[in-house]
Amino acid sequence: MIRTLKDLAPGASGKVMMVKGKGAIKRRFMDMGVIKGTEINVEKVAPLGDPIEVKIKGYSLTLRKEDAQNIVIE
């Protein structure tokens, strides 16, 4: 079963296996440090479930769940 960043609960962590998508969206993730092998931790989820705040490489990043489903984790 493939898990994505969207599936992680607050406090859970994982390692980035792959970033789906092409062109600008994939490039945007890479610019933010979301690359294969990077540890990523879900810090908070908004009250209505979207967006989510994650910690990656020592900084906090807020992502929409629509974007988080493109990040496959192990």
Side-chain angles (χ1 to χ4, degrees):
M1 181 177 158
I2 296 175
R3 289 188 333 158
T4 65
L5 182 59
K6 176 183 151 192
D7 302 323
L8 288 182
S13 62
K15 188 180 284 190
V16 176
M17 285 181 54
M18 179 177 76
V19 177
K20 295 187 215 172
K22 294 181 181 177
I25 187 74
K26 189 168 186 170
R27 181 67 196 175
R28 190 173 128 230
F29 283 134
M30 291 174 66
D31 289 345
M32 292 187 290
V34 182
I35 55 176
K36 185 176 180 180
T38 304
E39 285 287 328
I40 193 164
N41 182 43
V42 176
E43 300 256 306
K44 301 176 193 168
V45 176
L48 296 177
D50 195 21
I52 62 174
E53 183 177 315
V54 299
K55 188 152 201 145
I56 184 167
K57 294 188 174 186
Y59 70 92
S60 295
L61 177 66
T62 302
L63 297 170
R64 290 177 286 164
K65 281 199 167 183
E66 178 183 335
D67 293 332
Q69 72 182 4
N70 290 323
I71 301 170
V72 179
I73 57 165
E74 61 179 12

